[in-house]
């Protein structure tokens, strides 16, 4: 079934966006910074892929799950959406770990409560 792989990537991307939106991790907090980071990461990894394709390290395998649209030799359409998802996932996970570190720092700065006298 052509398109299953692209559908899975888009499904995952939408799921990541919903998680991000619900907990205000990246896009709601800093939309321009998030968009630039995701776009920059995607372009970086696309350049990485192109270098790998030119040097013969990366080749496109055949699969009935691909849509069949090839943007460049050995660069299927799905790769662009995968790299977009990967970059967005990295930004969201960075926000998650940054928030956890801040919460941990706040807990360690809080005064200790003596529970024996309460």
């Amino acid at each position: 079934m052509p398109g299953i792989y692209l559908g899975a990537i888009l499904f995952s991307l939408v799921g990541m966006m919903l998680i991000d939106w619900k907990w205000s991790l990246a896009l709601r907090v800093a939309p321009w910074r998030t968009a630039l980071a995701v776009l920059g990461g995607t372009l970086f990894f696309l350049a990485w892929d192109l270098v790998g394709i030119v040097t013969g390290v990366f080749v496109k395998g055949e699969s009935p799950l691909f849509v069949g649209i090839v943007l460049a030799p050995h660069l299927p359409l799905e790769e662009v959406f995968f790299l977009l998802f990967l970059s967005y996932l990295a930004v969201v996970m960075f926000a998650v770990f940054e928030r956890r570190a801040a919460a941990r720092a706040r807990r360690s700065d809080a005064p200790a409560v003596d529970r024996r006298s309460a």
Side-chain angles (χ1 to χ4, degrees):
M1 287 184 50
I4 287 213
Y5 182 54
L6 181 59
I9 293 169
L10 292 175
F11 181 78
S12 300
L13 182 62
V14 168
M16 185 57 54
M17 291 175 84
L18 290 172
I19 289 169
D20 178 17
W21 192 259
K22 179 176 180 167
W23 281 284
S24 297
L25 296 166
L27 202 53
R28 284 172 73 175
V29 175
W32 284 106
R33 187 172 41 181
T34 300
L36 284 173
V38 170
L39 182 64
T42 303
L43 291 175
F44 171 80
F45 284 118
L46 269 175
W48 180 286
D49 276 3
L50 291 174
V51 168
I53 289 168
V54 168
T55 59
V57 175
F58 298 155
V59 293
K60 178 185 157 283
E62 294 302 318
S63 173
L65 304 177
F66 287 159
V67 173
I69 299 172
V70 180
L71 303 175
H74 303 290
L75 185 67
L77 175 67
E78 290 86 352
E79 183 70 8
V80 176
F81 286 97
F82 173 72
L83 296 175
L84 183 77
F85 169 72
L86 184 69
S87 298
Y88 187 51
L89 174 66
V91 169
V92 170
M93 291 309 297
F94 179 82
V96 166
F97 289 117
E98 190 176 52
R99 188 174 287 181
R100 289 187 67 188
R104 191 174 298 127
R106 281 193 307 272
R107 281 195 306 266
S108 67
D109 289 344
V113 176
D114 186 8
R115 297 188 187 274
R116 290 176 289 167
S117 64

